[in-house]
Amino acid sequence: MMKTFTLIFLVFLSFLLPLHAQVSLGLRGGYTVSATQIKNAQGYKSNSLGTNSQLKNLHADLIINVPVYRSFYFQPLVRYITKGAYLRPLPYKPGILVESANQLKLHYLEVPMNFVLKYPLPMGKIVIGAGPYVAYGLGGSYDLDLMYNGSVLSTDSHNIEFNYKDRGIAPGVQLNRFDAGANVAVGIEFNNLMVLGANLSRGYTNIDRTSSARITNSYFSVSLGILFDREDY
């Protein structure tokens, strides 16, 4: 899988290099609110965006603008992002010790591949678009609570390596390194080369590789940054 991801990235770069004269680049960073939805056969279901399970973190982007036709652009990003959530405790059974994951953090190198329309305004351009994304898991961590009769006895932190040696965030659950889904984006490119953007992302890949649960990621982010140049100058 790692070889496949590397091959896709190299093909992506080879496509951009001949277009260097037409392509503009930029950097931006911002604030992320994420959630990880988990549903298993026992009926456990975690919360999603808009609830108190949200994890707040930061992200960083490399922006690439590729003109396609008039106001239509291909605008991929290379994004470092932390996804995850505060997970609800597992249902407890009286008199039995239960291990339940608490805070989950997953670090990804993500490539959203958006197709956007840019509408000119006196102050710059409004940008509206959507597209798929693929993401490669770099690592992560989670807090595991030891619970008895609904009370937390102790909490230990564990690393996630995305391999078969992982203990898993819950009994029988191990995570896949790759994630994929779709996102929508809006933003403004100001005439002074500053950029402001927001996007909503929804994962459709089940990142539980054991099939004992369905686990998906989602997040909302806002970003601020700057373009190094403009492709229309």
Side-chain angles (χ1 to χ4, degrees):
M1 294 294 286
M2 179 58 182
K3 292 180 179 178
T4 301
F5 187 87
T6 303
L7 179 60
I8 293 173
F9 189 69
L10 290 175
V11 171
F12 176 68
L13 287 180
S14 67
F15 169 75
L16 290 178
L17 288 175
L19 297 174
H20 176 70
Q22 304 174 45
V23 171
S24 66
L25 303 176
L27 291 175
R28 69 182 188 186
Y31 182 71
T32 305
V33 176
S34 66
T36 299
Q37 294 78 37
I38 303 175
K39 185 176 182 180
N40 63 16
Q42 289 73 41
Y44 173 78
K45 186 176 181 180
S46 71
N47 293 324
S48 56
L49 287 174
T51 68
N52 57 7
S53 69
Q54 297 174 146
L55 181 72
K56 301 173 179 63
N57 221 295
L58 302 176
H59 65 270
D61 298 340
L62 169 66
I63 312 169
I64 306 168
N65 280 302
V66 183
V68 177
Y69 180 73
R70 294 186 178 178
S71 60
F72 185 58
Y73 287 75
F74 178 47
Q75 190 183 75
L77 306 175
V78 180
R79 167 170 284 187
Y80 174 79
I81 186 168
T82 299
K83 305 180 187 182
Y86 289 96
L87 305 179
R88 289 166 47 198
L90 291 172
Y92 72 90
K93 298 179 181 179
I96 298 177
L97 291 171
V98 175
E99 290 184 326
S100 180
N102 184 351
Q103 180 179 240
L104 173 66
K105 291 184 178 180
L106 303 173
H107 309 298
Y108 287 96
L109 182 64
E110 182 175 288
V111 181
M113 294 170 282
N114 294 328
F115 292 91
V116 305
L117 289 172
K118 298 186 180 185
Y119 299 94
L121 295 173
M123 62 181 179
K125 294 180 180 179
I126 295 289
V127 180
I128 302 174
Y133 78 81
V134 293
Y136 179 81
L138 302 173
S141 64
Y142 63 95
D143 293 338
L144 192 66
D145 294 335
L146 181 64
M147 306 182 67
Y148 183 77
N149 289 341
S151 298
V152 177
L153 300 181
S154 63
T155 301
D156 294 318
S157 183
H158 298 269
N159 291 328
I160 294 174
E161 305 293 345
F162 298 106
N163 60 40
Y164 286 94
K165 296 180 181 179
D166 281 353
R167 183 178 185 179
I169 63 172
V173 176
Q174 294 178 318
L175 299 183
N176 193 336
R177 186 180 294 274
F178 288 88
D179 186 22
N183 73 99
V184 294
V186 296
I188 303 175
E189 294 182 358
F190 294 99
N191 290 330
N192 64 0
L193 301 184
M194 296 291 292
V195 291
L196 177 66
N199 79 287
L200 179 64
S201 174
R202 181 70 168 89
Y204 291 103
T205 299
N206 182 8
I207 62 173
D208 170 33
R209 65 167 176 257
T210 66
S211 299
S212 63
R214 177 165 180 79
I215 305 176
T216 55
N217 288 311
S218 59
Y219 69 85
F220 173 77
S221 69
V222 291
S223 308
L224 179 65
I226 189 167
L227 296 174
F228 299 136
D229 53 12
R230 285 272 292 271
E231 73 286 339
D232 56 350
Y233 280 3

